[in-house]
Amino acid sequence: MDDTFLRTMLFDFYGELLTEKQREYYDLHYNSDLSLFEIAEMSGTSRQAVWDIIRRSEQTLRDTERKTGLVARAMKQRRALDELSALVSDLPDDGRKQQILSKLQEVVDYGI
């Protein structure tokens, strides 16, 4: 799994566990692609302080994932649903195929 994608997933799942400052710096660095210098300049602190906060934030997110496994479970479910969609797509169209594909897409989109 791509490290950038993993960071995004971890933040989406567990970001609320971080402090406001941790969330802000992490989001600015990884999701808005701002450099440590840019974040430090905006916040009036040093690059080292920004890096320490981001590093601790990522460690918190990874520790939480190690304990809960929610991101790994969600990714496994997504792969299984993608495989099911591919299998259904290969079936002959008996009128219900589109219904099944729509329902699978609903599960993928909304986690139903």
Side-chain angles (χ1 to χ4, degrees):
M1 179 182 323
D2 174 307
D3 209 40
T4 301
F5 182 71
L6 178 60
R7 283 186 178 114
T8 300
M9 292 292 290
L10 290 170
F11 187 73
D12 288 347
F13 271 71
Y14 308 119
E16 291 301 313
L17 299 175
L18 301 175
T19 67
E20 187 175 330
K21 186 182 284 190
Q22 286 176 320
R23 271 194 311 276
E24 178 186 4
Y25 289 7
Y26 190 95
D27 186 47
L28 288 171
H29 186 62
Y30 289 121
N31 297 331
S32 297
D33 206 27
L34 268 67
S35 70
L36 299 177
F37 176 78
E38 291 169 314
I39 298 167
E41 196 172 68
M42 286 172 40
S43 60
T45 190
S46 69
R47 286 180 301 176
Q48 184 62 47
V50 170
W51 176 241
D52 288 343
I53 288 170
I54 292 170
R55 191 173 38 83
R56 280 195 309 273
S57 302
E58 187 165 355
Q59 190 60 50
T60 297
L61 298 175
R62 289 180 185 272
D63 288 347
T64 303
E65 172 59 15
R66 262 191 295 283
K67 291 174 186 172
T68 66
L70 294 176
V71 171
R73 194 171 319 139
M75 295 307 301
K76 186 176 181 181
Q77 286 175 332
R78 178 60 187 250
R79 283 190 299 276
L81 289 168
D82 288 345
E83 289 174 22
L84 277 173
S85 292
L87 289 171
V88 170
S89 292
D90 291 342
L91 295 175
D93 196 356
D94 66 353
R96 291 179 32 140
K97 177 179 172 178
Q98 195 53 48
Q99 265 184 309
I100 294 169
L101 285 171
S102 292
K103 188 52 80 174
L104 281 170
Q105 190 60 49
E106 203 176 301
V107 171
V108 167
D109 291 343
Y110 303 108
I112 298 173

